[in-house]
Amino acid sequence: MQIGNVVLGGYAALAPMAGVADRAFRELCMSFGAGYCVSEMVSSKGIAYHSKKSAELMELSAIEHPCAVQIFGTEPMTMADAARFALRYQPDVIDINMGCPAPKISGSGSGAALMKDPALCGEIINAVTKAVPLPVTVKIRTGFDSEHINAVEVARIAEANGAAAITIHGRTRDQFYAPPVNYDVIRDVKRAVKIPVIGNGDVTDAQSAKYLYDYTGVDYIMVGRGALGNPWIFSEINAYLSEGKLLPKPDLDEKLSVLTRHITDLVRYKGEYVGMREARKHTAYYLKGFKNAAKLRNLAFSMETLDDLKGLIDAIRTSSIRS
């Protein structure tokens, strides 16, 4: 699988998830076999207004590559400027967000709301591709709502305006993440264009990854929520699709070791105050399926220091022994 001249390894990428897929999580997933990752979305207007927070979201480490910086916005020239600005952080790809369903994003005309205006989609893609020497990709949904399923139209426009690949999440903006994925539209997009297509939505294990590949014929897949508290999913997908082998699930020791590594990196990159508060939601994902999970989550959401994390891990081990 290639995006322009960028070669992707493995079989699956980590999706760009705001507030979740930060540097610490991207590095962790790449270490478990993700072949590609995408940054949290960055506001093009934030870059235009010299927002330090927006610029920080573009920072990439050496072990994340190949990696894309994802930008969002509604103005072609502002998006082009943001893409040029991103070059200083040395991404391999520039990704354009045309699929975010969040009201804060789509309500301002960005993200998935752009799919209501295919012509503007084309203008933005054209401006960005002309602004940078890197491959430019686009992430879309099946449409804005069930009355306007236009992913094929937008995909063709993206290809015509220079996009090097398209990622499609198999739901409309109105569906957010709840209903089943529309695999038929993903398949239709794949058949409609010659550039690579990346399928996204409801990949929760190796078998669902294989189903997405087999049913739609996509060139690559992207994993989002299925990786939360479960970075092992990438090694599981790689083993199953390359060898037909189902890897055993990680035992308690490995889960706690990876949790500790993840949260320690969060604190290292963001400081203890911010890092530990962000660690709470990540820890809750890791606790899924544990004995006494509700009680343990309460402990997780009160963590303020790395010592609190050690206390939680002791509680998890104690709970496991008692059960």
Side-chain angles (χ1 to χ4, degrees), residues 23-44:
R23 176 181 173 181
F25 191 56
R26 294 194 303 266
E27 288 182 345
L28 184 62
C29 290
M30 294 294 278
S31 75
F32 276 100
Y36 174 58
C37 61
V38 185
S39 76
E40 299 174 81
M41 58 183 176
V42 181
S43 167
S44 59

Side-chain angles (χ1 to χ4, degrees), residues 214-227:
D214 291 347
Y215 189 93
T216 65
V218 291
D219 302 281
Y220 207 68
I221 64 171
M222 185 169 278
V223 181
R225 292 171 301 138

Side-chain angles (χ1 to χ4, degrees), residues 25-292:
F25 191 56
R26 294 194 303 266
E27 288 182 345
L28 184 62
C29 290
M30 294 294 278
S31 75
F32 276 100
Y36 174 58
C37 61
V38 185
S39 76
E40 299 174 81
M41 58 183 176
V42 181
S43 167
S44 59
K45 281 192 174 181
I47 295 301
Y49 294 143
H50 309 292
S51 164
K52 182 180 177 182
K53 185 176 181 180
S54 294
E56 287 174 349
L57 291 174
M58 292 185 170
E59 293 178 0
L60 306 175
S61 65
I63 63 175
E64 292 179 64
H65 296 276
C67 187
V69 163
Q70 186 185 77
I71 56 176
F72 74 92
T74 61
E75 300 168 1
M77 290 303 103
T78 305
M79 290 285 280
D81 289 342
R84 278 190 286 264
F85 182 88
L87 295 179
R88 66 185 65 188
Y89 298 99
Q90 299 183 310
D92 303 286
V93 175
I94 299 295
D95 187 58
I96 301 173
N97 185 320
M98 294 184 174
C100 180
K104 183 178 179 181
I105 305 300
S106 62
S108 65
S110 299
L114 285 170
M115 296 193 70
K116 295 191 290 184
D117 190 345
L120 178 57
C121 291
E123 292 172 17
I124 291 172
I125 296 164
N126 187 272
V128 173
T129 56
K130 289 180 177 177
V132 295
L134 304 179
V136 173
T137 58
V138 185
K139 192 167 192 289
I140 64 174
R141 286 194 162 227
T142 56
F144 188 77
D145 55 39
S146 60
E147 302 301 315
H148 302 89
I149 304 293
N150 65 339
V152 168
E153 177 189 6
V154 173
R156 286 176 172 153
I157 287 172
E159 181 178 40
N161 283 278
I166 297 164
T167 300
I168 173 168
H169 182 105
R171 297 182 175 94
T172 64
R173 181 268 170 193
D174 286 0
Q175 288 176 305
F176 282 81
Y177 301 99
V181 167
N182 189 331
Y183 294 102
D184 291 335
V185 176
I186 297 177
R187 181 186 59 193
D188 292 344
V189 168
K190 169 57 188 169
R191 292 174 175 176
V193 296
K194 295 180 180 178
I195 56 177
V197 173
I198 302 171
N200 176 220
D202 278 3
V203 176
T204 57
D205 53 30
Q207 294 95 325
S208 55
K210 187 175 188 304
Y211 182 82
L212 179 54
Y213 267 114
D214 291 347
Y215 189 93
T216 65
V218 291
D219 302 281
Y220 207 68
I221 64 171
M222 185 169 278
V223 181
R225 292 171 301 138
L228 300 179
N230 184 33
W232 305 272
I233 191 172
F234 296 101
S235 55
E236 292 169 1
I237 289 170
N238 290 342
Y240 190 60
L241 293 179
S242 63
E243 305 173 51
K245 180 169 65 176
L246 283 172
L247 296 182
K249 293 296 181 181
D251 61 18
L252 179 64
D253 286 339
E254 184 176 2
K255 284 186 177 181
L256 295 182
S257 174
V258 172
L259 169 61
T260 301
R261 171 185 165 192
H262 186 172
I263 304 313
T264 301
D265 282 347
L266 261 179
V267 169
R268 181 154 58 96
Y269 297 144
K270 299 185 178 184
E272 191 166 57
Y273 182 85
V274 173
M276 288 308 300
R277 279 153 182 78
E278 293 192 6
R280 296 169 181 174
K281 60 190 172 189
H282 285 287
T283 303
Y285 292 127
Y286 283 97
L287 293 174
K288 184 178 180 181
F290 277 42
K291 296 288 185 180
N292 301 314

